Amino acid sequence: MVLSRFWLAIFISSIAFIVISLFTGNTYTIDYVLNGKKDEPVLISEKYIDQVPVFIRDSIKNAPDNTIIINRDEANADTTYVYKNKTVKIFSGVQKSDGLLPTCKSTLVDLILPLIAYLAFFCGLMELLIISGASGKLAKGLSPVFVKVFPSIPKNHPSISYMTLNFAANFLGLDSAATPFGLKAMESLQEINPEKDKASDAQIMFMCLHASGLTLIATSIIGYRAAAGATNPADVMLPCIITSFIGTIAAFLIVGIKQKINFKSASLVLGLMVMIAAIVGLLFYVNSLDLIGKNFFTSNLSGLILFAIIGFTLVFSLRHEKKFIAADTTVFDAFVVGANNGVKTGVTIFPYVLGMLVAISLFRNSGLFEIISHWIAFIFSNMGVSKEITDALPVAMLRPFSSAGSRGFLIDSMNTFGADSMTGRLSSIFQCSAESTFYVIAVYFGSVNIKNTRYALGTMLLVDVICVITAIFVASWFF
């Protein structure tokens, strides 16, 4: 219910703002909101040739293609004058994201189809893990900890192994693998959910822990920083780990208090201590490396772990081929069955993702997001917050809505202020310290047709705020 109303609020307020802007003269055309492409110039006015200043008129007539660009300033958008069919079209600024119709297309072509491919492959592997018995062994080994965090899950339940693989993939920055494992976990949890259209306690806990975004190797962030010319692209890795870890602990405590989990459980405390020890140990090892060593380690660890998972699955399946024969199938046929299930899951979640991304597209292109972000930055600046921090806030604000949108702000902030600036580094920490909340809600709950998400959305947004505040303190401390 909360998600539905929030979605309607974004949609209706964006449309209203677009229409008001058109009729008040603040916007010349709204075609770009429907048909425009990201980074295309925006038409802001149209005049007859004798209505433009003389020097522009003369420049247009002498310019190739009757097109001139003025105000060439790297810090600001250029203004372009195009003379065609007796009028001069004036373009200024660029579009923040794809329009409504291109978003519909790109959601299918650029997002859902690749996601279906990932789902097909990894769900095929999951089928092998299930039939071979590997997932059952993993669930049995981790049950003592998981039954404390998820008391409603039966001991040795298959969802435990799926959630473990999802957390591990997120931990290592393997987004393409994390989503299929997570969707499989949601499907497994849905099987023991007594109210099928309402999120269970276990599903909410899983979603909030997943969305807190605990990441050890922020491979993509390091890549963006390297491309932007950072002196040490990996210098934000430790702040990212600290921020995302605090976000994960916050999510666990908030949901745990709500669900009355026993935090004093010995197995739970032991599991937490083991995880902290592993993180600290790995950090000490990474910090002992030189710059080239760090770059080599961070760029290869995630890939090696993924190959290890795939290799283990295939070898374990081969060693337990008798189980496949007993199930009247083969290893390859089982993989195909799992892949087919992954394709069906991708088709199921498409409408949910489409609806959310179209609303976000309207929200950004309407100009409403920029107004809200500017006011928030203004309020923070009047509270004494430095400009270096307020300049990074758009990344934090857009991150819950759109990973691609916040990534665009991240790259822009590094290009504008420098990858080694406080703004560039803080933007990087914002980007890797949380998930795209609304996208995650749409995908995961949509995959199992849950309509009532209960307090999941509110908790995830609260964790986002905690991550933002933590990132500011950590960045100020380190840089």
Side-chain angles (χ1 to χ4, degrees):
M1 183 64 73
V2 175
L3 179 63
S4 175
R5 289 177 178 174
F6 194 90
W7 180 77
L8 286 170
I10 292 177
F11 235 122
I12 295 172
S13 61
S14 298
I15 293 174
F17 192 81
I18 290 168
V19 173
I20 291 171
S21 296
L22 178 66
F23 286 101
T24 56
N26 294 326
T27 300
Y28 179 73
T29 178
I30 59 174
D31 180 69
Y32 72 96
V33 178
L34 294 173
N35 300 303
K37 297 287 187 67
K38 185 179 183 296
D39 295 329
E40 281 187 348
V42 178
L43 179 63
I44 62 169
S45 182
E46 187 174 9
K47 299 180 182 295
Y48 289 108
I49 187 67
D50 57 358
Q51 292 178 315
V52 300
V54 176
F55 79 94
I56 293 179
R57 188 187 315 161
D58 295 339
S59 299
I60 288 175
K61 291 180 178 179
N62 296 325
D65 301 323
N66 292 330
T67 301
I68 66 168
I69 300 175
I70 64 172
N71 298 336
R72 186 168 292 281
D73 178 0
E74 292 184 359
N76 299 292
D78 297 323
T79 299
T80 304
Y81 293 80
V82 180
Y83 178 57
K84 188 177 182 180
N85 297 330
K86 299 181 181 181
T87 64
V88 178
K89 287 184 169 58
I90 305 172
F91 298 86
S92 184
V94 294
Q95 190 157 332
K96 302 300 181 183
S97 64
D98 286 344
L100 189 149
L101 299 180
T103 296
C104 293
K105 178 182 177 182
S106 64
T107 299
L108 175 62
V109 176
D110 299 331
L111 183 62
I112 294 298
L113 290 181
L115 179 59
I116 287 176
Y118 297 143
L119 285 169
F121 178 73
F122 286 104
C123 285
L125 291 181
M126 289 301 303
E127 190 70 16
L128 300 186
L129 290 172
I130 294 169
I131 297 178
S132 67
S135 63
K137 291 181 181 295
L138 181 60
K140 184 177 180 180
L142 294 172
S143 275
V145 176
F146 271 75
V147 295
K148 303 299 181 182
V149 180
F150 303 90
S152 61
I153 297 179
K155 190 176 180 180
N156 302 335
H157 193 264
S159 61
I160 294 174
S161 58
Y162 307 148
M163 288 189 286
T164 301
L165 290 170
N166 172 264
F167 293 147
N170 268 333
F171 193 60
L172 296 166
L174 300 171
D175 295 338
S176 57
T179 300
F181 293 148
L183 292 176
K184 191 69 177 178
M186 286 295 284
E187 291 175 7
S188 184
L189 292 172
Q190 184 69 352
E191 292 174 3
I192 56 174
N193 183 6
E195 300 181 66
K196 299 302 182 184
D197 62 343
K198 184 177 179 181
S200 66
D201 285 351
Q203 287 173 322
I204 292 174
M205 175 63 85
F206 168 64
M207 283 299 305
C208 291
L209 291 177
H210 167 83
S212 62
L214 179 58
T215 303
L216 180 65
I217 306 297
T219 308
S220 59
I221 300 298
I222 294 172
Y224 298 140
R225 288 182 53 72
T231 304
N232 180 6
D235 62 2
V236 298
M237 193 171 73
L238 182 55
C240 285
I241 293 172
I242 293 173
T243 303
S244 60
F245 181 71
I246 291 175
T248 300
I249 295 298
F252 175 57
L253 291 176
I254 293 169
V255 180
I257 292 171
K258 183 79 173 177
Q259 297 181 1
K260 299 180 180 179
I261 288 175
N262 179 20
F263 295 106
K264 297 180 181 180
S265 168
S267 58
L268 186 58
V269 173
L270 178 62
L272 183 61
M273 295 303 294
V274 169
M275 184 174 67
I276 294 174
I279 293 174
V280 172
L282 196 53
L283 286 176
F284 272 114
Y285 173 72
V286 172
N287 286 334
S288 69
L289 302 174
D290 59 17
L291 178 59
I292 294 177
K294 287 180 181 177
N295 292 337
F296 177 80
F297 181 81
T298 56
S299 62
N300 288 295
L301 178 63
S302 297
L304 285 173
I305 295 295
L306 181 58
F307 278 127
I309 293 173
I310 296 172
F312 170 81
T313 301
L314 296 177
V315 172
F316 194 88
S317 298
L318 180 61
R319 290 190 61 185
H320 295 82
E321 196 170 14
K322 292 181 180 179
K323 293 186 177 181
F324 290 87
I325 296 174
D328 195 26
T329 186
T330 65
V331 173
F332 182 73
D333 288 340
F335 174 85
V336 171
V337 170
N340 277 327
N341 292 333
V343 172
K344 293 175 183 177
T345 301
V347 172
T348 299
I349 66 176
F350 171 56
Y352 295 89
V353 177
L354 176 66
M356 188 58 66
L357 293 185
V358 167
I360 292 170
S361 168
L362 284 176
F363 184 48
R364 291 204 65 201
N365 288 326
S366 68
L368 196 54
F369 173 80
E370 278 71 21
I371 290 176
I372 294 173
S373 63
H374 288 160
W375 271 106
I376 291 177
F378 175 76
I379 293 170
F380 272 91
S381 63
N382 279 278
M383 292 170 60
V385 178
S386 70
K387 189 176 185 300
E388 289 180 317
I389 293 175
T390 59
D391 286 336
L393 286 178
V395 177
M397 288 188 58
L398 194 58
R399 180 63 172 142
F401 295 95
S402 168
S403 176
S406 60
R407 183 169 62 246
F409 273 119
L410 165 63
I411 295 172
D412 181 67
S413 70
M414 289 193 292
N415 291 337
T416 302
F417 303 103
D420 292 327
S421 66
M422 175 65 171
T423 300
R425 284 167 167 154
L426 180 57
S427 297
S428 300
I429 300 170
F430 283 151
Q431 181 70 13
C432 73
S433 61
E435 270 284 1
S436 302
T437 300
F438 291 97
Y439 170 79
V440 168
I441 284 274
V443 169
Y444 282 76
F445 283 120
S447 68
V448 289
N449 296 313
I450 285 179
K451 297 175 176 58
N452 184 357
T453 60
R454 298 168 66 197
Y455 51 89
L457 178 60
T459 302
M460 291 163 71
L461 291 176
L462 177 58
V463 172
D464 286 336
V465 173
I466 292 172
C467 286
V468 169
I469 295 172
T470 303
I472 293 173
F473 278 106
V474 171
S476 301
W477 181 30
F478 274 84
F479 308 114

